[in-house]
């Protein structure tokens, strides 16, 4: 049977229209996200020095405990400018993340069912909250221990008492003279590492909600999780037992919390299916 070419062309146009609308919507959301990021980045650039001063408190406290002045060096001429840019970039993204998350939500929400919207939105809110908790844990707990450990490699008259200086006069003095940008990069690595590590409950719970993992499966691989967390603790912290034990305890605790959250989701799903008469008991 012959077909009308005009009708085929109309069908192609109709099918492509939703795609064009989605692309236009995506472009709008990206533009708003970039605009928010640029505005927040400029705002952070105007106050980069107070932000940097706040980030230097852990090293300053560690140096003060050793009777040393807190001072960082500009090794390269452009180092101060790039330090300000780095602070503006990360600070701008952190401040703009709620707006970026809202734009993401507005883009995906029309394609979700009511139940899916109720499941996705809490994770969108919990993610930045858990990141902030992880970064705060790194700043107030891990960084003081880490920097005190690193400063322990100093020696000689420049950091010793007068009696010790007399006994170690022939030793080369080794004192901390940190680079401004190097210190910022190291601090940001710690904050990012712990912020991302604290996403573990959010990630595993979301995977449990999607049916990708189960509480029974997570419990079965617990021994492997312990090994992985031990490796992470050894890499992300200085080689002293205290900080490694602290990090291991926190991350492992988050893993156990994740198992309980996934188990709670499974029980809720089972109750809903039983209420609808769709639940089938597993045969043993």
């Amino acid at each position: 049977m012959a077909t009308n070419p005009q009708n085929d062309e109309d069908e192609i146009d109709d099918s492509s229209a939703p795609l064009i609308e989605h692309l236009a919507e995506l472009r709008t959301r990206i533009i708003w996200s970039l605009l928010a990021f640029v505005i927040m980045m400029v705002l952070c650039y105007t106050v980069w020095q107070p932000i940097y001063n706040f980030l230097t408190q852990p090293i300053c406290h560690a140096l003060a405990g050793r009777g040393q002045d807190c001072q960082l060096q500009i090794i390269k001429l452009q180092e101060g400018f790039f330090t300000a840019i780095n602070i503006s970039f990360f600070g701008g993204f952190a401040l703009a993340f709620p707006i970026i998350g809202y734009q993401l939500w507005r883009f995906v929400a029309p394609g979700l069912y009511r139940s899916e919207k109720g499941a996705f939105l809490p994770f969108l809110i919990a993610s930045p909250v858990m990141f902030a908790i992880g970064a705060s844990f790194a700043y107030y707990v891990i960084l003081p221990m880490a920097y005190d450990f690193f400063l322990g490699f100093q020696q000689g008259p420049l950091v010793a008492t007068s009696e010790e200086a007399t006994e170690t006069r022939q030793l080369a003095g080794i004192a901390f003279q940190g680079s401004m940008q190097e210190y910022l990069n190291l601090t940001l690595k710690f904050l990012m590492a712990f912020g991302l590590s604290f996403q573990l409950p959010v990630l595993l719970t979301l995977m449990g909600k999607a049916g990708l993992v189960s509480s029974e499966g997570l419990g079965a691989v617990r021994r492997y999780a312990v090994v992985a967390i031990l490796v992470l603790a050894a890499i992300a912290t200085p080689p002293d037992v205290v900080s490694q034990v602290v990090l291991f305890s926190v991350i492992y605790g988050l893993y156990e919390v994740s198992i309980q959250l996934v188990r709670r989701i499974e029980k809720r799903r089972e109750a809903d299916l039983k209420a609808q008469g769709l639940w089938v008991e597993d045969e043993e």
Side-chain angles (χ1 to χ4, degrees), residues 31-256:
I31 290 175
W32 278 110
S33 298
L34 289 176
L35 182 62
F37 170 69
V38 171
I39 292 176
M40 296 303 177
M41 184 176 177
V42 173
L43 179 62
C44 287
Y45 184 80
T46 61
V47 292
W48 75 267
Q49 284 182 313
I51 296 175
Y52 189 81
N53 292 337
F54 174 76
L55 294 176
T56 58
Q57 291 306 305
I59 191 65
C60 287
H61 289 161
L63 287 169
R66 296 173 176 271
Q68 297 177 249
D69 295 332
C70 183
Q71 184 175 1
L72 298 173
Q73 312 296 323
I74 296 180
I75 306 300
K76 301 177 182 178
L77 184 61
Q78 72 277 15
E79 187 170 324
F81 172 74
F82 284 112
T83 299
I85 293 297
N86 289 342
I87 292 176
S88 303
F89 182 86
F90 286 101
F93 181 78
L95 293 179
F97 184 82
I99 299 176
I100 296 174
Y102 175 74
Q103 296 301 323
L104 174 63
W105 168 252
R106 287 291 302 273
F107 179 71
V108 302
L112 300 176
Y113 293 105
R114 184 184 300 272
S115 59
E116 292 174 335
K117 291 180 181 179
F120 183 76
L121 187 57
F123 294 104
L124 193 62
I125 297 175
S127 181
V129 172
M130 292 302 296
F131 185 91
I133 294 175
S136 299
F137 176 78
Y139 180 85
Y140 290 105
V141 178
I142 298 298
L143 288 184
M145 292 189 297
Y147 292 160
D148 184 67
F149 172 81
F150 291 144
L151 290 173
F153 289 92
Q154 301 178 107
Q155 72 170 16
L158 291 179
V159 295
T161 63
S162 58
E163 292 79 7
E164 293 171 333
T166 302
E167 298 175 359
T168 61
R169 192 179 303 275
Q170 303 302 320
L171 294 178
I174 302 176
F176 171 72
Q177 293 183 344
S179 164
M180 178 184 187
Q181 189 171 16
E182 183 179 353
Y183 171 79
L184 175 67
N185 292 338
L186 180 61
T187 301
L188 290 179
K189 286 180 181 178
F190 271 104
L191 298 181
M192 291 293 293
F194 280 83
L196 293 177
S197 298
F198 272 61
Q199 298 295 311
L200 183 63
V202 180
L203 176 61
L204 292 181
T205 307
L206 183 59
M207 294 176 66
K209 189 74 175 180
L212 299 177
V213 298
S214 64
S215 59
E216 183 178 356
L218 292 175
V221 299
R222 183 180 281 110
R223 66 183 67 179
Y224 303 106
V226 169
V227 175
I229 295 172
L230 285 173
V231 173
L232 175 64
I235 295 175
T237 59
D240 68 288
V241 177
V242 176
S243 59
Q244 291 178 355
V245 170
V246 170
L247 178 59
F248 171 80
S249 302
V250 172
I251 302 299
Y252 180 74
L254 292 175
Y255 185 81
E256 292 294 338

